[in-house]
Amino acid sequence: MLSGPSGVGKGTVVAEVRRRYPDVWVSVSVTTRGRRAGEVDGVHYHFLTDAEFDRLVAEDGLLEWAEYAGNRYGTPVAPVRERLATGAPALLEIELQGARQVRARAPEAQLVFLAPPSWAELENRLAGRGSEPPAVQQRRLAIAQAELDAAGEFDVVVVNDDVTRAADELVGLLTAPSSGRSVGASE
Ligand code: 5GP
């Protein structure tokens, strides 16, 4: 699993992995967040209504789920199970609460923390994204601070100093013989 603070570039690193390593299987999360420009339903996320999300939770259809900045996000469990059953790794990009749930349910999962080169750089990136109003950015920055404090809970820390390099390092972890079967990346 890949995790890490909002704005550190988890999404960008995972997009780079998808682009350059099409064989790497990346879980598509469900979310109640509205679709951003350029996002495709079923590719970046499955965009659900609150009622649809409730139903998935009730059916125990999610490996983990969390509320993040006013929206809910979750990992559909069936596709991950199918993928792991073939002996191939699965990459999850999720936030910290979800990473903790995966750790509890699947202790063999490898947890990767994507860290910013510096706090100033993270602030710049969150402000520069421009996709959210300032109040939402502030909220994400506060969450990011708490998430940075959790880096020690992870198996590996990858510094996102360069997207290409970080993507290579992540794929190296996924395919290393000693690695767990799934790698989660969290910002
Ligand atoms: P965004 O709204 O920027 O796409 O995502 C917000 C946060 O939710 C990011 O930290 C992202 O990694 C996280 N996230 C995306 N999908 C999932 C998921 O399935 N589960 C959890 N717990 N977090 C997710």
Side-chain angles (χ1 to χ4, degrees), residues 4 10 29 33 36 45 64 66 68 73-75 93-95 98 129 140 187:
K10 281 179 303 202
S29 298
R33 167 167 80 58
R36 292 187 191 132
Y45 283 105
E64 60 72 35
Y68 179 93
Y73 298 82
T75 303
E93 184 230 309
I94 61 182
E95 52 67 70
R129 184 144 78 180
R140 284 178 179 246
E187 272 182 321

Side-chain angles (χ1 to χ4, degrees), residues 2-7 10-11 27-31 33 36 39 45 64-68 71 73-76 93-99 101 129 132 140 147 185-187:
L2 181 66
S3 201
S6 184
K10 281 179 303 202
S27 166
V28 179
S29 298
V30 291
T31 184
R33 167 167 80 58
R36 292 187 191 132
E39 287 183 331
Y45 283 105
E64 60 72 35
W65 70 272
E67 187 166 330
Y68 179 93
N71 295 298
Y73 298 82
T75 303
E93 184 230 309
I94 61 182
E95 52 67 70
L96 181 63
Q97 303 167 70
Q101 291 171 46
R129 184 144 78 180
E132 273 96 19
R140 284 178 179 246
E147 289 189 322
S186 171
E187 272 182 321

Side-chain angles (χ1 to χ4, degrees), residues 60-107:
D60 206 16
L62 299 178
L63 174 64
E64 60 72 35
W65 70 272
E67 187 166 330
Y68 179 93
N71 295 298
R72 288 183 292 168
Y73 298 82
T75 303
V77 69
V80 174
R81 285 222 181 102
E82 276 166 32
R83 177 71 185 171
L84 294 180
T86 70
L91 178 61
L92 274 52
E93 184 230 309
I94 61 182
E95 52 67 70
L96 181 63
Q97 303 167 70
R100 288 176 174 150
Q101 291 171 46
V102 173
R103 161 123 296 167
R105 280 184 78 166

